[in-house]
């Protein structure tokens, strides 16, 4: 058995993607002459309801180029405390843009507009100015939770009150759109910029898109080059991205169903704590209870031990903290895979 639940980035490129890559028409994107890249950028902008889009090698680079453009050295980025831009982008906002995060904790990764207003309201002239508001939807570290359209609308209203530009980290925006039963453009509506990943549930081997106003995307192209992300015949990569963008979103309800199936199977597993009602999209998070000998550290903790144990039967997951494990469903999994993984884990921990 080899059932990889570490992330939705572990998928293999599909046959359709490989074929599209082999047959892609390409040109030098440094001169803006790659037709496949142009097509991916045009379609991405349309899907997000924005004027223009730019192809990036990673979501991290796309996010950081957006932050760089919205902010300035010495400024702060207002965002949720467990955001990807804070925890998983190698300190890039400080290293590349001279900014620091202004963190607001939340219960389920969903920024509370009232709390944002309160924090902004008590900023004094002796404090660093705030450059922008960044929102993550779905929220990765909160287990794929979804901010509602109403919450997003209220956040945008607060940002407007304080004249803050807004960026949406929509790495999994299509998962959010699927749950909210609206288009991705509706989820991104009102944000000055939005990043989405072709590599998560959409299943492409590489690539993320940054979308926004044309003038913003023109400037983003220059900063992408400055950050080392300019490419040449990258239509071979964009070709897979186009397949992902066209075929990926409609498939996501399946991932969400598999996540619920996985959670239902795990709920009764001895030694873990999982609330199935917290599973909103394709991410399942749970706590592993500690034994008497449990140290606090991540590596030696109960979650890491759990992951090592299930790896011996071919089920892979990630320990996010000493007690927390994450499992993610994706295109390369079937319901049989989920059932096998669940029954394997039950036999093992009986
Ligand atoms: C995956 C992800 C990104 C981008 O990650 P890359 O690996 O750099 O493409 C950004 N934000 C969130 C919330 C993510 O889950």
């Amino acid at each position: 058995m080899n059932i990889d639940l570490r992330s939705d980035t572990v998928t293999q490129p599909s046959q359709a993607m490989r074929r599209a890559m082999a047959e892609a028409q390409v040109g030098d994107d440094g001169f803006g002459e790659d037709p496949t890249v142009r097509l991916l950028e045009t379609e991405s902008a349309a899907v997000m309801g924005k004027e223009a889009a730019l192809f990036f090698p990673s979501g991290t680079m796309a996010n950081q180029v957006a932050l760089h453009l919205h902010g300035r050295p010495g400024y702060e980025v207002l965002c949720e405390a467990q955001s990807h831009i804070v925890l998983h982008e190698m300190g890039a906002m400080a290293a590349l843009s001279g900014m620091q995060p202004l963190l607001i904790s939340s219960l389920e990764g969903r920024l509370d507009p009232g709390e944002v207003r309160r924090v902004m309201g008590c900023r004094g002239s002796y404090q660093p100015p705030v450059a922008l508001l960044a929102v993550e939807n779905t929220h990765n570290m909160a287990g794929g939770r979804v901010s509602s359209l109403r919450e997003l609308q209220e956040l945008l209203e607060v940002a407007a009150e304080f004249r803050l530009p807004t960026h949406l980290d929509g790495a999994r925006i299509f998962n959010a759109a699927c749950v909210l039963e609206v288009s991705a453009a509706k989820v991104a509506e009102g944000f000055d910029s939005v990043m989405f990943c072709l590599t998560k549930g959409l299943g492409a081997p590489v690539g993320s898109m940054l979308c926004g106003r044309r003038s913003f995307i023109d400037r983003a192209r220059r900063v992408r080059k400055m950050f080392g992300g300019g490419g040449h015949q990258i239509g071979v990569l964009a070709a897979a991205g186009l397949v992902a963008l066209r075929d990926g979103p409609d498939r996501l309800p399946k991932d969400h169903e598999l996540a619920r199936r996985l959670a239902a199977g795990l709920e009764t597993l001895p030694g873990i704590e999982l609330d199935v009602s917290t599973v909103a999209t394709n991410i399942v998070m749970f706590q592993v209870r500690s034994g008497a000998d449990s140290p606090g550290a991540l590596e030696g903790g109960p979650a890491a031990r759990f992951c090592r144990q299930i790896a011996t039967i071919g089920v892979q997951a990630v320990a996010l903290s000493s007690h927390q494990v994450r499992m993610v469903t994706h295109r390369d999994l079937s319901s049989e895979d989920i059932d096998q993984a669940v029954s394997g884990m039950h036999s093992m921990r009986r």
Side-chain angles (χ1 to χ4, degrees):
M1 173 157 66
N2 180 21
I3 296 168
D4 196 344
L5 297 162
R6 288 174 301 170
S7 176
D8 45 8
T9 58
V10 301
T11 52
Q12 292 285 315
S14 66
Q15 281 309 313
M17 286 175 190
R18 290 175 185 274
R19 209 175 308 122
M21 293 174 82
E23 292 166 4
Q25 285 188 34
V26 298
D28 192 338
D29 189 55
F31 293 104
E33 286 172 3
D34 190 304
T36 309
V37 171
R38 281 188 177 171
L39 192 56
L40 175 61
E41 290 176 343
T42 309
E43 286 194 22
S44 296
V47 168
M48 288 298 140
K50 305 294 181 199
E51 284 174 17
L54 189 63
F55 184 44
F56 278 83
S58 74
T60 296
M61 191 188 280
N63 273 338
Q64 292 301 328
V65 166
L67 300 189
H68 190 86
L69 286 170
H70 289 308
R72 287 169 60 182
Y75 279 57
E76 292 188 328
V77 178
L78 182 51
C79 57
E80 202 281 329
Q82 304 284 313
S83 298
H84 195 278
I85 56 169
V86 176
L87 294 183
H88 298 127
E89 301 192 1
M90 302 293 151
M93 76 168 76
L96 304 178
S97 301
M99 295 195 283
Q100 63 186 11
L102 172 56
L103 302 176
I104 295 186
S105 296
S106 72
L107 264 183
E108 300 176 349
R110 292 157 41 209
L111 270 179
D112 173 11
E115 186 61 9
V116 174
R117 182 178 282 114
R118 192 190 64 73
V119 167
M120 285 305 297
C122 50
R123 300 298 285 179
S125 56
Y126 46 86
Q127 285 171 310
V130 178
L132 75 147
L133 171 69
V135 177
E136 185 174 316
N137 198 20
T138 69
H139 195 295
N140 185 353
M141 291 299 281
R145 300 295 189 86
V146 182
S147 289
S148 69
L149 289 181
R150 190 188 162 156
E151 284 167 324
L152 296 174
Q153 191 51 48
E154 286 178 18
L155 286 169
L156 291 170
E157 281 166 23
V158 177
E161 272 171 44
F162 293 95
R163 298 179 189 284
L164 294 179
T166 51
H167 174 68
L168 178 61
D169 178 345
R172 296 187 180 81
I173 192 174
F174 291 99
N175 298 81
C178 167
V179 168
L180 297 171
E181 298 180 315
V182 296
S183 65
K186 188 73 194 166
V187 180
E189 193 175 70
F191 283 90
D192 294 300
S193 56
V194 56
M195 183 284 287
F196 72 90
C197 290
L198 298 160
T199 51
K200 303 286 164 79
L202 305 192
V206 62
S208 294
M209 308 302 299
L210 181 64
C211 312
R213 285 184 203 90
R214 181 155 313 276
S215 58
F216 177 86
I217 294 301
D218 288 345
R219 290 191 296 141
R221 192 180 298 276
R222 300 174 71 91
V223 179
R224 182 185 66 176
K225 178 77 173 165
M226 184 169 88
F227 285 6
H232 299 286
Q233 286 73 25
I234 47 178
V236 287
L237 306 176
L242 265 172
V243 175
L245 181 64
R246 289 170 182 170
D247 301 348
D250 288 347
R251 212 197 42 73
L252 294 177
K254 173 85 189 305
D255 290 356
H256 297 180
E257 186 195 312
L258 291 185
R260 286 191 296 271
R261 190 181 186 99
L262 176 64
L266 286 167
E267 200 187 6
T268 53
L269 195 65
I272 75 157
E273 277 165 42
L274 188 161
D275 178 356
V276 292
S277 72
T278 64
V279 180
T281 52
N282 67 331
I283 302 178
V284 179
M285 301 269 238
F286 54 90
Q287 303 280 321
V288 182
R289 280 190 221 108
S290 38
D293 61 331
S294 158
L298 201 168
E299 294 296 326
R305 220 178 311 139
F306 176 90
C307 291
R308 280 196 297 275
Q309 192 189 19
I310 62 172
T312 65
I313 57 162
V315 180
Q316 300 190 72
V318 171
L320 290 182
S321 64
S322 64
H323 288 72
Q324 197 172 35
V325 173
R326 186 185 78 166
M327 293 182 172
V328 188
T329 56
H330 53 74
R331 189 188 61 210
D332 290 354
L333 295 170
S334 63
S335 11
E336 292 73 42
D337 290 328
I338 298 298
D339 294 348
Q340 263 193 37
V342 165
S343 69
M345 288 186 276
H346 274 277
S347 332
M348 153 164 254
R349 289 180 68 92
R350 207 168 21 229

